[in-house]
Amino acid sequence: MMFLKTFCTKIVIGCAFTYTLCSTIGCSSAKRIPTAPTTQNPSPMQEHLRAHNRLKDTPAQGTIHVLNDILPQSVTLYIPSHFTKMDTLNLLVHFNGAAHVPIHAVDQLKESVVLAVVHLGSGSSVYERPFLHPAIFNRFVQEVSGLLDVDAFQNIYLSAFSAGYGAIRALLKTHFKQIDGILLLDALHTDYMPKGVPLAQGSKLNTEKLQGFLDYAQAATDSDKKMIITHSEIFPGTFASLTETTDWLLAQLQLERTPILQWGPVGMQQLGEAEKGHFHVLSFAGNTAPDHVDHFHGMPFFLKMLLDEKM
Protein backbone atom coordinates (compact mmCIF):
# COMPACT_ATOMS: atom_id res chain seq x y z
CA MET A 1 0.00 0.00 0.00
CA MET A 2 1.44 3.34 -1.05
CA PHE A 3 2.00 5.85 1.76
CA LEU A 4 0.06 9.09 1.22
CA LYS A 5 2.38 12.07 1.58
CA THR A 6 1.09 15.17 3.41
CA PHE A 7 2.05 18.54 2.04
CA CYS A 8 1.60 22.22 2.95
CA THR A 9 1.50 25.03 0.42
CA LYS A 10 1.56 28.71 1.28
CA ILE A 11 -0.74 30.76 -0.91
CA VAL A 12 -1.07 34.54 -1.15
CA ILE A 13 -4.53 35.73 -2.14
CA GLY A 14 -4.73 39.24 -3.69
CA CYS A 15 -3.14 41.90 -1.47
CA ALA A 16 -5.26 41.71 1.63
CA PHE A 17 -4.39 38.47 3.38
CA THR A 18 -2.28 35.31 3.41
CA TYR A 19 -3.29 31.85 4.52
CA THR A 20 -1.75 28.38 4.65
CA LEU A 21 -3.43 25.48 2.89
CA CYS A 22 -2.65 22.13 4.48
CA SER A 23 -4.18 19.02 2.97
CA THR A 24 -3.67 15.31 2.47
CA ILE A 25 -3.94 13.77 -0.99
CA GLY A 26 -7.48 12.56 -1.39
CA CYS A 27 -9.02 14.97 1.17
CA SER A 28 -12.02 17.01 0.06
CA SER A 29 -11.51 20.10 2.25
CA ALA A 30 -8.71 22.43 3.32
CA LYS A 31 -8.24 24.35 6.52
CA ARG A 32 -7.81 28.16 6.27
CA ILE A 33 -5.58 29.73 8.90
CA PRO A 34 -5.66 33.56 8.91
CA THR A 35 -2.38 35.33 9.54
CA ALA A 36 -1.55 38.83 10.69
CA PRO A 37 -1.48 41.51 7.97
CA THR A 38 1.84 42.69 6.60
CA THR A 39 3.21 46.16 7.35
CA GLN A 40 1.22 47.43 4.39
CA ASN A 41 -1.12 45.67 2.01
CA PRO A 42 -0.64 47.45 -1.33
CA SER A 43 -3.25 47.49 -4.07
CA PRO A 44 -2.45 45.89 -7.44
CA MET A 45 0.25 47.98 -9.04
CA GLN A 46 -0.99 47.89 -12.66
CA GLU A 47 -4.17 48.83 -14.50
CA HIS A 48 -4.40 48.93 -18.28
CA LEU A 49 -8.05 49.68 -19.06
CA ARG A 50 -8.19 53.44 -18.44
CA ALA A 51 -5.94 55.93 -20.22
CA HIS A 52 -3.80 57.23 -17.30
CA ASN A 53 -2.47 60.13 -19.39
CA ARG A 54 0.64 61.82 -18.01
CA LEU A 55 1.86 65.43 -18.26
CA LYS A 56 5.23 65.67 -20.00
CA ASP A 57 8.20 67.27 -18.29
CA THR A 58 8.69 70.09 -20.79
CA PRO A 59 10.77 73.26 -20.25
CA ALA A 60 8.96 75.80 -18.07
CA GLN A 61 7.81 79.04 -19.66
CA GLY A 62 8.42 81.10 -16.53
CA THR A 63 11.33 81.59 -14.14
CA ILE A 64 12.55 79.01 -11.64
CA HIS A 65 14.42 79.82 -8.42
CA VAL A 66 15.74 77.35 -5.86
CA LEU A 67 15.32 78.20 -2.18
CA ASN A 68 17.76 76.57 0.21
CA ASP A 69 18.28 76.55 3.99
CA ILE A 70 14.58 76.75 4.93
CA LEU A 71 13.52 73.09 4.79
CA PRO A 72 15.44 69.78 4.81
CA GLN A 73 15.28 69.78 0.99
CA SER A 74 15.48 72.67 -1.46
CA VAL A 75 12.23 74.31 -2.57
CA THR A 76 11.41 75.03 -6.22
CA LEU A 77 9.91 78.50 -6.67
CA TYR A 78 8.19 79.11 -9.99
CA ILE A 79 7.20 82.54 -11.31
CA PRO A 80 4.89 82.33 -14.37
CA SER A 81 5.91 84.24 -17.47
CA HIS A 82 2.78 86.40 -17.33
CA PHE A 83 3.56 87.65 -13.80
CA THR A 84 4.02 91.41 -13.26
CA LYS A 85 4.51 93.31 -10.02
CA MET A 86 1.28 95.18 -10.77
CA ASP A 87 -0.71 91.98 -10.38
CA THR A 88 -2.65 91.03 -7.27
CA LEU A 89 -0.45 88.15 -6.26
CA ASN A 90 -1.43 84.76 -4.85
CA LEU A 91 0.85 82.01 -3.51
CA LEU A 92 0.33 78.28 -4.02
CA VAL A 93 2.46 75.90 -1.97
CA HIS A 94 2.34 72.33 -3.24
CA PHE A 95 3.59 69.37 -1.20
CA ASN A 96 4.93 66.13 -2.73
CA GLY A 97 5.62 65.25 -6.33
CA ALA A 98 7.64 66.27 -9.36
CA ALA A 99 7.67 70.04 -9.91
CA HIS A 100 6.67 69.97 -13.59
CA VAL A 101 3.08 68.89 -12.77
CA PRO A 102 2.12 71.83 -10.50
CA ILE A 103 4.13 74.14 -12.79
CA HIS A 104 1.94 73.04 -15.70
CA ALA A 105 -1.16 73.56 -13.54
CA VAL A 106 -0.14 77.12 -12.63
CA ASP A 107 0.70 77.98 -16.24
CA GLN A 108 -2.89 77.12 -17.20
CA LEU A 109 -4.35 79.72 -14.81
CA LYS A 110 -5.46 83.16 -15.92
CA GLU A 111 -4.81 84.82 -12.58
CA SER A 112 -1.33 85.47 -11.20
CA VAL A 113 -0.23 82.64 -8.91
CA VAL A 114 3.36 82.09 -7.79
CA LEU A 115 4.18 78.45 -7.02
CA ALA A 116 6.43 76.89 -4.40
CA VAL A 117 6.97 73.12 -4.69
CA VAL A 118 8.05 71.26 -1.55
CA HIS A 119 9.22 67.68 -2.09
CA LEU A 120 10.70 66.09 1.03
CA GLY A 121 10.49 62.34 0.38
CA SER A 122 8.23 59.47 1.44
CA GLY A 123 5.75 59.31 4.30
CA SER A 124 3.43 61.94 5.74
CA SER A 125 5.63 62.49 8.81
CA VAL A 126 8.51 63.93 6.76
CA TYR A 127 6.11 66.63 5.54
CA GLU A 128 4.41 67.23 8.87
CA ARG A 129 7.49 67.45 11.07
CA PRO A 130 9.10 70.66 9.72
CA PHE A 131 5.85 72.63 9.83
CA LEU A 132 5.03 71.82 13.44
CA HIS A 133 7.09 74.93 14.20
CA PRO A 134 5.05 78.03 13.20
CA ALA A 135 8.15 80.12 12.53
CA ILE A 136 9.18 77.85 9.63
CA PHE A 137 6.19 78.68 7.46
CA ASN A 138 6.37 82.37 8.40
CA ARG A 139 10.00 82.47 7.29
CA PHE A 140 9.10 80.53 4.15
CA VAL A 141 6.42 83.05 3.11
CA GLN A 142 8.64 86.02 3.98
CA GLU A 143 11.51 84.72 1.86
CA VAL A 144 9.24 84.16 -1.14
CA SER A 145 7.61 87.59 -0.84
CA GLY A 146 11.02 89.21 -0.40
CA LEU A 147 12.34 87.55 -3.54
CA LEU A 148 9.32 88.87 -5.46
CA ASP A 149 9.56 92.31 -3.82
CA VAL A 150 5.95 92.26 -2.63
CA ASP A 151 4.65 93.14 0.82
CA ALA A 152 2.10 90.33 1.11
CA PHE A 153 0.04 87.82 -0.83
CA GLN A 154 -3.65 88.36 -1.37
CA ASN A 155 -4.35 84.64 -0.97
CA ILE A 156 -2.33 81.63 0.13
CA TYR A 157 -3.39 78.24 -1.18
CA LEU A 158 -2.05 74.80 -0.23
CA SER A 159 -2.16 71.62 -2.29
CA ALA A 160 -0.88 68.13 -1.57
CA PHE A 161 -0.55 64.82 -3.35
CA SER A 162 -0.49 61.58 -1.37
CA ALA A 163 1.75 61.86 1.72
CA GLY A 164 2.04 65.63 1.31
CA TYR A 165 -1.11 66.05 3.37
CA GLY A 166 1.09 65.76 6.47
CA ALA A 167 2.36 69.31 5.94
CA ILE A 168 -1.19 70.66 5.60
CA ARG A 169 -2.25 68.85 8.75
CA ALA A 170 0.51 70.64 10.64
CA LEU A 171 -0.21 74.04 9.06
CA LEU A 172 -3.90 73.84 9.95
CA LYS A 173 -2.85 73.83 13.60
CA THR A 174 -0.80 77.01 13.32
CA HIS A 175 -1.90 78.98 10.23
CA PHE A 176 -5.59 78.14 9.82
CA LYS A 177 -6.72 81.74 9.27
CA GLN A 178 -3.88 82.45 6.82
CA ILE A 179 -4.87 79.60 4.46
CA ASP A 180 -7.47 80.59 1.85
CA GLY A 181 -7.86 77.30 -0.01
CA ILE A 182 -6.81 73.63 0.15
CA LEU A 183 -6.58 71.00 -2.60
CA LEU A 184 -6.01 67.39 -1.49
CA LEU A 185 -5.16 65.02 -4.35
CA ASP A 186 -5.80 61.47 -3.09
CA ALA A 187 -4.22 62.67 0.12
CA LEU A 188 -5.96 62.23 3.47
CA HIS A 189 -5.22 59.28 5.73
CA THR A 190 -5.24 58.48 9.41
CA ASP A 191 -4.52 55.50 11.68
CA TYR A 192 -6.82 52.69 12.68
CA MET A 193 -7.42 52.20 16.38
CA PRO A 194 -6.18 49.59 17.27
CA LYS A 195 -3.32 50.25 14.87
CA GLY A 196 -3.28 48.12 11.73
CA VAL A 197 -6.78 46.67 12.26
CA PRO A 198 -9.24 47.63 9.48
CA LEU A 199 -12.70 49.01 10.23
CA ALA A 200 -14.30 45.77 9.03
CA GLN A 201 -12.53 43.98 11.89
CA GLY A 202 -13.95 46.28 14.55
CA SER A 203 -11.47 49.18 14.73
CA LYS A 204 -12.17 52.91 14.67
CA LEU A 205 -10.54 55.85 12.90
CA ASN A 206 -8.07 58.03 14.75
CA THR A 207 -10.20 61.13 14.21
CA GLU A 208 -7.85 63.37 16.19
CA LYS A 209 -5.62 63.49 13.10
CA LEU A 210 -8.62 64.47 10.95
CA GLN A 211 -10.00 67.22 13.17
CA GLY A 212 -8.14 70.10 11.50
CA PHE A 213 -9.40 68.99 8.09
CA LEU A 214 -12.95 68.78 9.43
CA ASP A 215 -12.71 72.28 10.90
CA TYR A 216 -11.48 73.62 7.57
CA ALA A 217 -14.14 71.72 5.61
CA GLN A 218 -16.78 73.24 7.87
CA ALA A 219 -15.36 76.70 7.25
CA ALA A 220 -15.44 76.06 3.49
CA THR A 221 -19.15 75.22 3.64
CA ASP A 222 -20.12 78.61 5.08
CA SER A 223 -17.29 81.09 4.41
CA ASP A 224 -14.93 82.25 1.65
CA LYS A 225 -12.41 79.47 2.32
CA LYS A 226 -12.23 76.77 -0.37
CA MET A 227 -11.52 73.06 -0.13
CA ILE A 228 -11.49 70.26 -2.70
CA ILE A 229 -10.73 66.62 -1.88
CA THR A 230 -10.28 64.07 -4.67
CA HIS A 231 -9.95 60.39 -3.90
CA SER A 232 -9.60 56.95 -5.46
CA GLU A 233 -10.88 53.59 -4.19
CA ILE A 234 -7.47 52.40 -2.99
CA PHE A 235 -7.61 50.41 0.25
CA PRO A 236 -4.17 50.39 1.95
CA GLY A 237 -5.30 47.85 4.55
CA THR A 238 -3.21 48.86 7.54
CA PHE A 239 -4.25 52.52 7.70
CA ALA A 240 -7.42 54.33 6.69
CA SER A 241 -8.29 54.79 3.04
CA LEU A 242 -9.48 58.03 1.44
CA THR A 243 -12.94 56.51 1.10
CA GLU A 244 -13.05 55.97 4.85
CA THR A 245 -11.67 59.37 5.84
CA THR A 246 -13.96 61.26 3.44
CA ASP A 247 -16.91 59.14 4.61
CA TRP A 248 -16.17 60.34 8.14
CA LEU A 249 -15.86 63.98 7.06
CA LEU A 250 -19.14 63.86 5.15
CA ALA A 251 -20.92 62.21 8.07
CA GLN A 252 -19.75 64.96 10.44
CA LEU A 253 -20.95 67.60 7.96
CA GLN A 254 -24.23 65.72 7.40
CA LEU A 255 -23.55 65.44 3.67
CA GLU A 256 -23.96 62.50 1.30
CA ARG A 257 -22.29 61.62 -1.97
CA THR A 258 -24.38 61.84 -5.13
CA PRO A 259 -23.65 58.89 -7.45
CA ILE A 260 -22.60 59.98 -10.94
CA LEU A 261 -20.69 58.44 -13.82
CA GLN A 262 -18.58 60.71 -16.01
CA TRP A 263 -15.10 61.16 -17.41
CA GLY A 264 -12.58 63.24 -15.49
CA PRO A 265 -9.09 64.51 -16.38
CA VAL A 266 -6.31 62.22 -17.74
CA GLY A 267 -8.79 59.37 -18.30
CA MET A 268 -10.21 59.24 -14.76
CA GLN A 269 -13.75 57.98 -14.15
CA GLN A 270 -15.74 59.92 -11.58
CA LEU A 271 -18.24 57.90 -9.56
CA GLY A 272 -19.61 60.40 -7.09
CA GLU A 273 -19.48 63.86 -5.56
CA ALA A 274 -20.59 65.80 -2.52
CA GLU A 275 -20.59 69.56 -2.06
CA LYS A 276 -21.76 72.38 0.10
CA GLY A 277 -20.65 75.97 -0.30
CA HIS A 278 -16.98 75.94 -1.30
CA PHE A 279 -16.38 72.39 -0.03
CA HIS A 280 -16.21 69.60 -2.62
CA VAL A 281 -15.44 65.86 -2.49
CA LEU A 282 -14.86 64.17 -5.86
CA SER A 283 -14.81 60.36 -5.85
CA PHE A 284 -13.09 58.39 -8.63
CA ALA A 285 -12.76 54.75 -9.67
CA GLY A 286 -9.53 52.84 -9.27
CA ASN A 287 -7.58 50.71 -6.81
CA THR A 288 -4.11 50.69 -8.37
CA ALA A 289 -0.94 52.77 -8.40
CA PRO A 290 -1.75 54.37 -11.81
CA ASP A 291 -5.16 55.38 -10.46
CA HIS A 292 -3.43 57.07 -7.53
CA VAL A 293 -1.00 58.99 -9.73
CA ASP A 294 -3.90 60.12 -11.95
CA HIS A 295 -4.96 62.51 -9.19
CA PHE A 296 -1.58 64.24 -9.32
CA HIS A 297 -1.54 64.60 -13.11
CA GLY A 298 -5.14 65.80 -13.00
CA MET A 299 -3.98 68.77 -10.91
CA PRO A 300 -4.44 71.41 -13.68
CA PHE A 301 -8.15 70.55 -13.82
CA PHE A 302 -8.63 70.43 -10.05
CA LEU A 303 -6.61 73.61 -9.39
CA LYS A 304 -8.73 75.55 -11.87
CA MET A 305 -11.80 74.29 -10.05
CA LEU A 306 -10.41 75.41 -6.69
CA LEU A 307 -9.64 78.94 -7.94
CA ASP A 308 -12.77 79.35 -10.05
CA GLU A 309 -14.45 82.59 -8.99
CA LYS A 310 -17.86 80.93 -9.40
CA MET A 311 -17.17 78.59 -6.47
Side-chain angles (χ1 to χ4, degrees), residues 33-175:
I33 305 175
T35 62
T38 57
T39 303
Q40 183 176 349
N41 299 313
S43 300
M45 298 304 290
Q46 296 297 323
E47 200 283 327
H48 302 289
L49 185 60
R50 290 182 292 277
H52 305 296
N53 297 320
R54 297 292 177 252
L55 299 176
K56 295 181 179 180
D57 187 0
T58 55
Q61 299 176 9
T63 304
I64 292 178
H65 296 271
V66 177
L67 305 181
N68 298 305
D69 304 325
I70 301 178
L71 295 171
Q73 301 290 336
S74 61
V75 175
T76 300
L77 179 66
Y78 179 68
I79 306 172
S81 57
H82 59 267
F83 164 75
T84 69
K85 290 184 179 180
M86 300 300 294
D87 289 336
T88 300
L89 192 59
N90 303 295
L91 173 64
L92 169 66
V93 185
H94 176 78
F95 301 98
N96 192 27
H100 75 275
V101 173
I103 285 175
H104 183 86
V106 166
D107 274 339
Q108 302 305 304
L109 299 174
K110 294 181 180 180
E111 59 186 288
S112 187
V113 177
V114 171
L115 169 69
V117 181
V118 178
H119 186 71
L120 300 179
S122 302
S124 61
S125 62
V126 303
Y127 288 94
E128 182 175 23
R129 198 176 302 117
F131 294 102
L132 292 173
H133 307 284
I136 296 295
F137 191 69
N138 292 337
R139 180 187 168 194
F140 181 88
V141 173
Q142 289 172 2
E143 184 153 339
V144 173
S145 59
L147 183 63
L148 297 171
D149 194 23
V150 297
D151 295 329
F153 296 102
Q154 182 181 24
N155 296 294
I156 295 179
Y157 302 106
L158 305 180
S159 64
F161 168 63
S162 195
Y165 78 93
I168 297 181
R169 181 167 61 196
L171 290 171
L172 284 174
K173 297 176 182 178
T174 57
H175 293 78

Side-chain angles (χ1 to χ4, degrees), residues 157 180-181 216 219-220 222-227 278 311:
Y157 302 106
D180 297 289
Y216 200 89
D222 55 19
S223 75
D224 291 336
K225 292 189 181 297
K226 301 177 181 181
M227 186 177 196
H278 296 161
M311 282 186 59

